[in-house]
Amino acid sequence: MASFTRPIILIAATGFGLAACTNPDGSQNRTGTGAAIGGLLGAATGAIVSGDDKKGAVIGGIAGAAVGAGIGNVLDRQARDLERDIGGSGARIINTGDQLIVRMPEAITFATESANVRPSIQDDILAIARNLQQYPNNTVQVIGHTDNTGTASFNQGLSERRASAVASLLRQGGVPGGRIVAFGRGETQPLASNGNAEGRAQNRRVEIIITPR
């Protein structure tokens, strides 16, 4: 029983560890968050696998913290590079700690009901492609989303075409096709309410999700 109890306690403590992973300005330190998550989960896993709570927790914690901190550091650096390159485009860069999400609203990316990428944003997408070439050890999902105006089938098709158009530009910019998967979610994953114009505008978007591997 003890060999399972201690790992559970370690995992439960993750929340307390993450609370300390903040910068002086209150923003989250992604490198510290990655180290905390990796260390706590590594400790728990090491204890379970080894059968020796103390030894396994120490070994697993060290290994997990190193991996987690490394991923967090890379994502922090890549996010800063993206902010430098496309910060004024209107795209939003979100660092979740284990992924980067580049959120591109329809307003800056496509005309209404169109899957043709606006010329004004194409250079920014090519800048994202250059960034991805500098960080080759990650995969890329390009996901299209719509509001619920119109039929579900039309929205699904539009979201797929828009995702494909952005993915095509990334490939033109030099990102190997094998790293990119493009698909649409249609109206099924809204960010906000579709009951008003502001919410619908938030829901019409393409997201580029960058995941370390």
Side-chain angles (χ1 to χ4, degrees):
M1 180 66 69
S3 63
F4 289 98
T5 303
R6 288 191 181 92
I8 291 171
I9 293 172
L10 284 167
I11 293 171
T14 301
F16 296 100
L18 295 183
C21 295
T22 55
N23 295 316
D25 63 359
S27 62
Q28 192 155 24
N29 182 329
R30 299 299 181 181
T31 302
T33 299
I37 293 172
L40 288 167
L41 296 183
T45 303
I48 292 171
V49 172
S50 72
D52 182 333
D53 287 347
K54 293 182 179 179
K55 181 179 179 181
V58 170
I59 294 173
I62 292 171
V67 172
I71 290 173
N73 182 56
V74 169
L75 287 177
D76 286 344
R77 187 168 65 248
Q78 189 170 10
R80 287 194 299 269
D81 290 348
L82 283 169
E83 287 284 3
R84 178 197 65 209
D85 295 339
I86 66 168
S89 67
R92 183 182 176 197
I93 300 162
I94 303 163
N95 188 344
T96 69
D98 55 5
Q99 290 179 324
L100 293 181
I101 302 172
V102 182
R103 184 168 292 158
M104 308 181 67
E106 177 199 60
I108 66 169
T109 315
F110 302 99
T112 302
E113 297 187 357
S114 171
N116 295 320
V117 178
R118 293 182 186 274
S120 57
I121 198 68
Q122 290 184 12
D123 285 345
D124 293 296
I125 296 175
L126 293 175
I128 296 171
R130 291 192 293 272
N131 176 278
L132 290 170
Q133 291 179 70
Q134 295 170 19
Y135 296 88
N137 294 322
N138 48 40
T139 59
V140 183
Q141 291 182 318
V142 184
I143 309 174
H145 301 271
T146 70
D147 62 22
N148 68 348
T149 303
T151 67
S153 60
F154 174 82
N155 289 332
Q156 178 62 33
L158 179 62
S159 69
E160 292 172 0
R161 293 192 299 275
R162 287 179 166 180
S164 295
V166 172
S168 178
L169 271 175
L170 292 176
R171 287 191 292 268
Q172 290 177 35
V175 182
R179 292 177 58 194
I180 303 173
V181 177
F183 54 95
R185 294 295 191 194
E187 61 189 57
T188 63
Q189 293 184 347
L191 288 175
S193 171
N194 277 310
N196 56 70
E198 181 180 352
R200 290 191 295 273
Q202 291 183 57
N203 295 333
R204 298 190 299 268
R205 69 201 190 274
V206 169
E207 294 180 338
I208 301 172
I209 300 179
I210 302 166
T211 306
R213 60 181 177 182

